[in-house]
Each structure stands twice: as C-alpha cells, then as structure tokens.
C-alpha cells in the first residue's frame, strides 16, 4: 500500500514538472483545408503561439479542438506536438490536420416533442460552406400527429473571429393545432436572429415578421371570436444563463432566463411582453437536493382598444407548470377551453433524491429519481386579481431522464387551492419536457 502511494506521488510530481516545463511554439502547421478559407481558421490558431509552458499549450489545444468541433465544418481533427529539430529543445512545432465534413447532409428523424405528447417526423438537408466561410443552408420539413406540419429554411453565418456569435435568417410556414383551446393556426414567418455570449450567458436578439391565420371548427364562441388574420412585427431579446450541474435533475447551481418583446411597428399587435424564470438548486443532507423555481410574466398593450390575440397570451397549469391541473387548466375558461391571460406567476419547490437502492442494480438509479413538490401560481387578465386567487398543489412522483435530453415525470398530484372554472386533475399525471416548475 505504501509503495502504491509513493508511485502515485512520484507520477503526480513528474506530471507537474512536465506541465510546468517552459517552451516556445516555433510555428503552427495547418493542413487538410479544401473548401474552408484559411483566413477563417488561422485566428483560432494564434493562441497556441502565445503559450509559454507545456501545460498552457495542452490547454490551448483542447480549446482549439472544441472550437473547431463546434463549427460543424470538420469531422476529424488531429493535433500533434513535436520538437523543432534545428532549434533548441525548448522549441516545438504544432501540426493541426483537419478533415472537412461532407458538404451535403440529408437525413430523417422520428422524435417526441418535449412540449407536447405527440411525435414528429422530420426530413432535413444541410448544405455546408456555401462561400467557404462556414456558412450553411438548412431545410427541414416536419410532420406531426395533428400537431405540426411545416417547412423551415435557415441561412446560418458565424461571425469571426468571435465564433460564438451567429447570424441566422429563417423563413418558415407552419400549421399547428392547440389541443387545449381547440383552435388551429397557419403561420408564415420571416426572422432575422443574432446570437452572442455576454454577461456570463447567451443573448438572442430577433426581429420577426409574422402573418398568422387562426381558424378551427370545434371551439366555443369565445375562441371563435379570435379567428381571422393576425400580423405582427416585433423585436425580441432573450437572455439565458445556466450554471447548473445538470439541466434535467440539478443538485446545485442556478438558471436565469428573461424574455422581452416589443411589438407595434406594423400589423395589429401593439404590446410589450416580458416573461422570466429563475431556479436555484442546492444539496441537502441524506442525499437530498432542493430546487426552487419562480416564474412571472406580463403583457401590456399601448392603447385601451388594442387586443392581445389568444396565440400571444400566457397559459398556466399542467405537468410542466402548476401540477394537479389539466394542461392550461388554470384561469378563464369558455366551454371547457382555456382563454389564457395577460399576467401570470408561479413558484415551485421540489425535493428529490436517487432511488433508495444502489444505482448499479439494473442501472436504474443512474437515471431515475424520487421527488416531492409544492406548486403555487395564478393566471389572470387584470393585475389586481393576480394575487387574490393563488392555486396550490402538492404531490410526489418519479423522474426519469431520457438520453440526457429531456425527462419524464410520473406524479400523483393533489390540488389544495383552486378557483371556479379551473380544470383540476387530481391523481396521477404524466409529463415530458425539460424545464418544470
């Protein structure tokens, strides 16, 4: 045992000595480029020349590899560090050999939408490096089970030298069915989008032009009054900062998301909309973890005669919101169909832990957790009524992580406080998604 400890200590000392060894990068060789312009990739190589130790060089090569992989332009990246023969031993040469991705990619996927219980079938194609600077053109056709049918065309251009900034232009046509309210929409959208990183998170700035037709047949009069054409021109900003250790079942860290929208330049939409949520997770004794989540939002019109279409309103209730209610079951109803609201808030507290047996028994504990929750929230069309009728529910259930992409919840929920007109769902409830209250 003592010999093992001594060997590990010796190995650690040798590794530290190697990482702290001084060196100088004589030059960087780049090979394998065909369609991609060299002046696009060269700025990513310059940090290698600024390193002074072997440890700094290793760290810089890891960053380089990750950056090149994120471009989606290369499917093979080999980085080699060798001694520069004619020079002193402290000089090295870095060789970067890349293999470009196929220019045209086509495929199809069958997936389940995390925001609904319906599946979709997607056929997509992607054309890379349109002009040699990592631009791409993507086309996707989607067909869902009575939920989604549409075509999206997106032109993507990364901004250099800051690769994490992107410009996207998207045109799409899409038909959707809102099952809870019983109406359908036909959307024609043009969007210009700019993404960049700052203030520790991701910023998404969008400018939209939307022509939407609301229609349907099986809906109450209050919903049919919303039928017709709707146009909206707006600018939107979204900021997201995620510091959680796991985006599905976090045990520490926080997440902040704020969305703001200003509409009214043209069209019949004339409002400002703000929606945000924040969550904080922390570890507790006995293997427990607690997550506190809060959400709130409002829509304010610029004139008393302006109306907010039903497609723009907030909805509340369901497995991903205030549990113990049917989907969109909180708030004003007409013939059993939700009408939405202009103001909402919600708070949820969840205590969760691994299953009370070894995670190595059938591997269940690796992706399943038990949890108990308390949810409260409200949805109204007048701000003065927002705190007057809070809804409260409690319950417990099982969380199942699926491929680290989304999670399923099987809960037993018990509504404690509700208002007349709410559609409550006392008993077992199934939900699928990413962010839950």
């Amino acid at each position: 045992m003592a010999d093992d400890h001594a060997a590990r200590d010796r190995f650690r000392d040798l590794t530290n000595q190697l990482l702290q060894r001084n060196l100088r990068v004589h030059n960087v060789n780049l090979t394998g480029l065909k369609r991609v312009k060299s002046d696009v990739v060269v700025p990513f190589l310059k940090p290698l020349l600024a390193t002074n130790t072997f440890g700094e060089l290793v760290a810089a090569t890891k960053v380089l590899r990750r950056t090149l992989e994120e471009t989606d332009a290369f499917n093979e990246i080999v980085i080699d560090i060798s001694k520069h023969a004619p020079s002193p031993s402290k000089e090295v040469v870095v060789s970067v050999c890349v293999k470009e991705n196929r220019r045209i990619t086509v495929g199809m996927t069958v997936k389940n939408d995390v925001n609904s219980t319906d599946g979709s079938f997607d056929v997509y194609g992607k054309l890379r490096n349109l002009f040699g600077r990592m631009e791409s053109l993507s086309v996707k056709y989607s067909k869902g089970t009575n939920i989604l049918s549409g075509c999206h065309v997106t032109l993507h251009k990364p901004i250099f030298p800051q690769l994490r900034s992107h410009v996207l232009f998207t045109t799409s046509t899409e038909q959707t069915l809102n099952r809870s309210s019983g109406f359908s929409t036909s959307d024609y959208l043009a969007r210009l989008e700019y993404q960049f990183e700052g203030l520790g998170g991701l910023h998404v700035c969008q400018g939209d032009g939307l022509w939407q037709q609301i229609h349907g047949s099986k809906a109450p009069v209050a919903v049919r009054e919303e039928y017709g054409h709707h146009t909206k021109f707006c600018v939107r900003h979204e900021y997201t900062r995620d510091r959680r250790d796991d985006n599905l079942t976090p045990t520490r860290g926080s997440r902040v998301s704020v969305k703001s929208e200003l509409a009214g330049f043209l069209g019949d939409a004339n409002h400002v909309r703000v929606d945000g949520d924040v969550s904080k997770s922390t570890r507790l004794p006995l293997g427990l973890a607690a997550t506190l989540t809060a959400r709130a939002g409002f829509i304010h019109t610029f004139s008393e005669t302006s109306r907010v279409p039903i497609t723009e309103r907030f909805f509340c209730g369901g497995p991903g919101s205030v549990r113990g209610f049917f989907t969109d079951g909180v708030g004003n109803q007409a013939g059993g169909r939700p009408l939405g609201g202009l103001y909402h808030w919600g708070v949820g507290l969840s205590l969760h832990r691994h299953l009370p047996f070894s995670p190595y028994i059938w591997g269940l504990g690796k992706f399943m957790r038990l949890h108990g929750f308390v949810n409260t929230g409200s949805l109204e069309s007048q701000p003065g009524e927002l705190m007057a009728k809070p809804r409260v529910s409690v319950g417990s259930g099982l969380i199942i992580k699926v491929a680290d992409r989304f999670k399923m919840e099987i809960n037993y929920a018990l509504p404690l406080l509700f208002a007349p007109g709410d559609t409550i769902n006392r008993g077992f409830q199934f939900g699928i998604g990413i962010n839950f209250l």
Side-chain angles (χ1 to χ4, degrees), residues 247-325:
N247 66 328
L248 298 179
T249 55
T251 60
R252 62 175 57 180
S254 62
R255 180 184 183 274
V256 177
S257 177
V258 180
K259 304 175 184 178
S260 55
E261 176 183 289
L262 176 63
F265 305 100
L266 295 170
D268 54 29
N270 186 12
H271 63 255
V272 58
R273 172 184 173 130
V274 179
D275 189 23
D277 68 85
V278 58
S279 66
K280 173 66 176 178
S281 301
T282 186
R283 292 181 179 177
L284 301 175
L286 304 178
L288 292 170
T291 298
L292 179 65
T293 304
R295 298 174 180 173
F298 69 89
I299 302 176
H300 174 72
T301 58
F302 294 119
S303 65
E304 295 182 357
T305 59
S306 299
R307 71 178 185 89
V308 179
I310 192 171
T311 53
E312 303 288 341
R313 299 172 195 164
F314 296 113
F315 291 87
C316 181
S321 179
V322 180
R323 301 174 179 91
F325 296 81

Side-chain angles (χ1 to χ4, degrees), residues 220-378:
V221 175
V223 176
R224 292 202 299 270
E225 290 176 349
E226 302 287 336
Y227 288 1
H229 294 278
H230 162 55
T231 56
K232 182 176 75 170
F233 294 84
C234 69
V235 292
R236 185 183 300 109
H237 174 262
E238 179 179 353
Y239 170 75
T240 304
R241 187 189 67 187
D242 197 340
R243 293 291 183 270
R244 299 172 297 176
D245 58 352
D246 189 290
N247 66 328
L248 298 179
T249 55
T251 60
R252 62 175 57 180
S254 62
R255 180 184 183 274
V256 177
S257 177
V258 180
K259 304 175 184 178
S260 55
E261 176 183 289
L262 176 63
F265 305 100
L266 295 170
D268 54 29
N270 186 12
H271 63 255
V272 58
R273 172 184 173 130
V274 179
D275 189 23
D277 68 85
V278 58
S279 66
K280 173 66 176 178
S281 301
T282 186
R283 292 181 179 177
L284 301 175
L286 304 178
L288 292 170
T291 298
L292 179 65
T293 304
R295 298 174 180 173
F298 69 89
I299 302 176
H300 174 72
T301 58
F302 294 119
S303 65
E304 295 182 357
T305 59
S306 299
R307 71 178 185 89
V308 179
I310 192 171
T311 53
E312 303 288 341
R313 299 172 195 164
F314 296 113
F315 291 87
C316 181
S321 179
V322 180
R323 301 174 179 91
F325 296 81
F326 282 101
T327 300
D328 302 336
V330 172
N332 294 330
Q333 310 277 327
R337 301 291 190 177
L339 301 178
L342 305 183
Y343 302 87
H344 82 98
W345 66 271
V347 177
L349 176 63
S350 174
L351 295 178
H352 54 93
R353 61 154 295 157
H354 286 295
L355 294 177
F357 50 77
S358 172
Y360 302 103
I361 299 179
W362 308 303
L364 294 179
K366 295 180 181 180
F367 58 91
M368 301 175 68
R369 298 178 75 93
L370 296 173
H371 83 130
F373 59 84
V374 178
N375 292 157
T376 181
S378 183

Side-chain angles (χ1 to χ4, degrees), residues 157-168:
K157 174 69 173 73
I159 303 299
F160 302 104
Q162 188 181 9
L163 183 65
R164 296 183 182 274
S165 297
H166 305 266
V167 174
L168 300 94

Side-chain angles (χ1 to χ4, degrees), residues 121-125 139-144 148-152 175:
F121 174 74
D122 297 341
V123 179
Y124 63 88
V139 180
K140 182 179 72 172
Y141 174 78
S142 300
K143 181 68 176 178
L148 180 64
S149 175
C151 182
H152 301 254
Q175 291 76 42

Side-chain angles (χ1 to χ4, degrees), residues 12 15 17 24 97 100 108 137 149 153 166 196 207 243 258 271-272 290 331-332 352 358 368 378-379 409 415:
R12 187 184 306 111
T15 302
Q17 293 177 10
R24 175 178 173 272
C97 181
E100 295 184 3
M108 60 183 67
L137 179 66
S149 175
V153 180
H166 305 266
F196 65 96
R243 293 291 183 270
V258 180
H271 63 255
V272 58
N332 294 330
H352 54 93
S358 172
M368 301 175 68
S378 183
L379 174 75
E409 288 190 1

